[in-house]
Amino acid sequence: MRIPFELAETLAVVVDEGTLDAAARRLHVTPSAVSQRIKTLEEQLGRLVLVRSKPVRPTEAGMSVIRLARQLALLEHDALAELGADDGETALTSVPLAVNADSLATWFLEPLARLGERHPVVFDLHRDDQDFTAGLLESGTVMGAVTSRAAPVAGCRASVLGAMRYEAVATPSYVERWLGGDRRAALADAPLVDLDRRDDLQNEWLAQQGVDPAHPPRHYVPASNDFATSVRLGLGWAMLPRFQSHDALHRGELVLLGGAPVDVALHWQQWNLRSPLLDAIAETIVAEGRRVLTPA
């Protein structure tokens, strides 16, 4: 059994774009041609590769084919580079990566910008909680990920980045309004800010203070920069990395609430595929993470 690269590539584009029509526009063919390619692929494999929902979803077999398509595209890029093809003669290689929101908002984009200056590459970033980005590696959706998972995903290799250190902060006016008197009792009633319903950093700090995390009322602000802004505006207290709180703390616009910081260890995982481009991405990201993050 063989899997033609054109068919595997088509499936990957369909899943990336979400619909057959959008994939057809990107591939410069008709939607019927895209549909026929998927049908041919399914006939050759003897199994379904695509759930035709809105947006479409790959089946387990489809995820294997997508992983193959991305690996072949990467190897093609490396081969052309070794053959001395000029950047203008080759299409920019799309590299999908997964990253947690706070890394994306603080340190992660700078190494990508340097990579973009040196390599003919564009990045397709997938943002998710660091506890869930490894799943995007397992599915073949991304080639590399910032993750809290230390053990390598099957078929991947892992490197330590460092720890994102979070500290509890709030505005002075918020502290005066909500946290006077018995601090532990006040924290049970004081509103806090969560990034989303999977954000457990505030819960972890509350537990350290002997406060039941189920008690406080919560705001949900699901974007890292807006999350930090909401704290600086006094909406509630929250755990912020020093990247986002340093200047405001220096100006007195935020104050530390005390207690031990919460460190979230981060790792870089990527496909265990020998590729000069993927190796360059790993080297640049790992070096930046180890430069700016707290040693794990």
Side-chain angles (χ1 to χ4, degrees), residues 56-108:
V56 298
R57 293 183 292 107
T59 64
E60 186 173 347
M63 289 190 292
S64 296
V65 174
I66 290 169
R67 190 180 304 112
L68 171 66
R70 299 200 197 284
Q71 291 176 346
L72 289 173
L74 187 62
L75 293 173
E76 180 184 52
H77 168 274
D78 293 337
L80 289 171
E82 288 180 8
L83 292 170
D86 293 333
D87 290 350
E89 296 175 348
T90 60
L92 294 177
T93 299
S94 178
V95 176
L97 305 174
V99 59
N100 61 306
D102 288 339
S103 291
L104 181 60
T106 54
W107 66 271
F108 192 72

Side-chain angles (χ1 to χ4, degrees), residues 13 17 19-31 34:
V13 172
E17 297 296 326
T19 67
L20 271 65
D21 288 348
R25 289 191 293 271
R26 178 170 155 185
L27 294 169
H28 306 292
V29 297
T30 64
V34 172

Side-chain angles (χ1 to χ4, degrees), residues 163-217:
M164 186 81 83
R165 174 161 290 177
Y166 294 83
E167 298 166 305
V169 297
T171 63
S173 60
Y174 175 92
V175 172
E176 181 179 0
R177 177 183 179 187
W178 291 101
L179 300 181
D182 183 341
R183 175 63 62 88
R184 180 181 297 180
L187 283 169
D189 297 320
L192 60 86
V193 187
D194 276 341
L195 185 71
D196 55 34
R197 283 163 177 80
R198 297 185 300 187
D199 181 3
D200 61 359
L201 286 173
Q202 285 67 232
N203 289 348
E204 185 172 343
W205 185 84
L206 283 170
Q208 290 179 0
Q209 312 313 307
V211 179
D212 185 348
H215 285 167

Side-chain angles (χ1 to χ4, degrees), residues 171 173 228-236 254:
T171 63
S173 60
T229 298
S230 73
V231 177
R232 290 195 295 270
L233 291 174
L235 204 60
L254 290 176

Side-chain angles (χ1 to χ4, degrees), residues 103-163:
S103 291
L104 181 60
T106 54
W107 66 271
F108 192 72
L109 291 177
E110 287 192 18
L112 297 193
R114 294 197 295 272
L115 287 161
E117 292 175 352
R118 300 196 301 265
H119 301 277
V121 62
V122 291
F123 295 102
D124 179 8
L125 300 183
H126 298 248
R127 185 186 63 192
D128 205 344
D129 185 271
Q130 61 270 1
D131 293 336
F132 298 92
T133 49
L136 296 173
L137 271 174
E138 292 174 317
S139 69
T141 302
V142 300
M143 298 179 184
V146 176
T147 174
S148 59
R149 181 168 166 179
V153 172
C156 296
R157 61 183 188 269
S159 301
V160 174
L161 288 170

